[in-house]
């Protein structure tokens, strides 16, 4: 008699490793970092289009949700999630700095008065 082992069902294969824990933490960190960064910057009362670049950190964190199928995929997912969470935290302050720098340069070209 030929004894073959039955393959594990797909749900057991996906739930066995906890690969989803790090992307879930990065999603929470990016959300909280984005909210805190936006609420603590002076562009809070700016127009809604200033929130559009939050799409980039969201895409980076979303890319970390792909299940690791290759040897380097887990490290790539961790790096993308970490960069996305950090970018969500820092975006509002970087945007504020850039807007102030542009305003200062335009004020200088105008003649300073």
């Amino acid at each position: 008699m030929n004894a073959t082992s039955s393959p594990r069902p797909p749900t057991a294969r996906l739930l066995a490793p906890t690969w989803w824990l790090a992307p879930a933490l990065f999603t929470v960190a990016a959300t909280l970092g984005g909210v805190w960064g936006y609420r603590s910057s002076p562009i809070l009362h700016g127009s809604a289009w200033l929130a559009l670049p939050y799409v980039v950190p969201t895409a980076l964190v979303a890319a970390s949700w792909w299940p690791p199928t290759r040897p380097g995929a887990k490290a790539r997912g961790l790096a993308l999630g970490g960069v996305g969470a950090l970018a969500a935290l820092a975006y509002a302050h970087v945007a504020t700095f850039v807007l102030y720098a542009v305003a200062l340069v335009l004020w200088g070209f105008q003649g300073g008065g």
Side-chain angles (χ1 to χ4, degrees):
M1 183 166 248
N2 189 2
T4 60
S5 64
S6 62
R8 292 187 343 195
T11 56
R13 187 180 65 223
L14 288 177
L15 294 177
T18 56
W19 66 267
W20 52 268
L21 184 61
L25 291 175
F26 286 136
T27 302
V28 170
T31 304
L32 292 176
V35 168
W36 180 77
Y38 194 72
R39 298 266 309 166
S40 66
S41 74
I43 64 171
L44 177 64
H45 302 291
S47 62
W49 66 270
L50 288 173
L52 184 63
Y54 279 109
V55 171
V56 174
T58 304
L60 289 172
V61 171
S64 72
W65 276 97
W66 287 101
T69 56
R70 295 184 183 147
K74 187 173 183 177
R76 184 201 66 211
L78 290 173
L80 287 175
V83 168
L86 183 63
L89 177 65
Y91 163 69
H93 297 289
V94 170
T96 302
F97 174 76
V98 168
L99 289 173
Y100 281 144
V102 167
L104 187 64
V105 167
L106 291 175
W107 177 74
F109 279 130
Q110 178 196 6

